[in-house]
Amino acid sequence: MCLFLSVVGVGSGTKMLSTMLTGSKKYVAVGELGKATDTLDATGSVTLEKDFEHITRMDIEEKLKNFVGDIMQVPPLYSALKKDGQRLSVLLKQGHKVEAKPARAVTVYNLTLQEFKPPVFTLDIECGGGFYVRSLVDDLGKALSSCAHVKELIRTKQGQFTLEDHVLHEEHWTLEHILKSLQPCSGSEPAEEADT
């Protein structure tokens, strides 16, 4: 399951999105040890199973320290990244061979283990742009001499917007509620009506 805080721009507000969304992102990720998948999440096919009984809470907390700060990360093959104008995930689903993109620099500001009930663990993550939670969980599983994939992922913050303060629950997905939730962009002026 994935739940994401998504910010949508309408009209002239679309021009301001890149400015409004600068800053960090926060996620809550639930990972499962002992199984790796081709997509690095629960939607994929299991590609590897390994023992995880040796892993303790202290082991995870210690390994997480290696993933904080400026780190190098290889993006997942199943991603929105493109090759020759097409998403890698689409190419893979069409049966094309796709090579991994090179590791790139990403930033992790904060990374904590919230819960550990083997084989499941919950991480609280604050990161910069270009970061892939699925790659983190996969890399963590390998660092623990096992494997892991993402079971659930929730984006709780993007820039200045938080899930807690800005969510529009499904029962309110009506035109009336959507119009009430729209917020004018600071600095944008309403268009003047033309004289006829």
Side-chain angles (χ1 to χ4, degrees):
M1 174 192 87
C2 291
L3 174 67
F4 286 95
L5 168 69
S6 295
V7 181
V8 178
V10 179
S12 62
T14 57
K15 296 175 184 171
M16 301 183 77
L17 280 178
S18 60
T19 303
M20 295 175 75
L21 298 179
T22 57
S24 65
K25 299 176 186 180
K26 286 187 177 181
Y27 296 90
V28 173
V30 177
E32 181 178 358
L33 292 166
K35 291 180 183 173
T37 69
D38 55 358
T39 59
L40 309 186
D41 64 20
T43 66
S45 301
V46 175
T47 57
L48 179 66
E49 293 190 46
K50 289 184 88 172
D51 180 48
F52 61 86
E53 284 83 13
H54 64 281
I55 300 170
T56 66
R57 181 181 185 95
M58 193 182 325
D59 292 333
I60 295 174
E61 289 172 339
E62 191 61 35
K63 293 296 182 188
L64 286 176
K65 294 175 185 176
N66 298 326
F67 296 100
V68 177
D70 294 328
I71 63 169
M72 296 301 288
Q73 185 185 63
V74 176
L77 287 177
Y78 283 87
S79 68
L81 296 177
K82 294 182 178 180
K83 176 186 178 189
D84 300 327
Q86 286 201 306
R87 287 182 174 211
L88 297 181
S89 56
V90 171
L91 292 171
L92 283 166
K93 289 175 185 172
Q94 292 173 345
H96 296 278
K97 183 171 172 57
V98 175
E99 291 188 25
K101 293 281 188 177
R104 58 190 189 176
V106 294
T107 303
V108 179
Y109 301 107
N110 191 23
L111 178 58
T112 55
L113 178 63
Q114 296 300 311
E115 187 173 25
F116 181 47
K117 293 182 180 177
V120 176
F121 60 94
T122 303
L123 301 175
D124 205 17
I125 305 157
E126 183 174 8
C127 59
F131 180 82
Y132 282 91
V133 174
R134 290 177 293 141
S135 290
L136 167 72
V137 170
D138 182 64
D139 291 342
L140 177 61
K142 292 172 183 170
L144 292 164
S145 300
S146 184
C147 55
H149 70 277
V150 173
K151 280 186 65 150
E152 296 178 23
L153 183 61
I154 301 171
R155 181 167 38 203
T156 60
K157 176 183 177 282
Q158 171 137 13
Q160 62 185 327
F161 301 96
T162 63
L163 190 60
E164 186 177 313
D165 295 336
H166 296 92
V167 70
L168 184 61
H169 295 282
E170 191 171 352
E171 64 269 14
H172 293 130
W173 289 1
T174 64
L175 182 58
E176 177 186 354
H177 285 100
I178 291 170
L179 289 174
K180 283 181 184 177
S181 69
L182 292 177
Q183 299 173 14
C185 299
S186 59
S188 66
E189 300 294 325
E192 292 182 23
E193 292 184 11
D195 289 329
T196 52

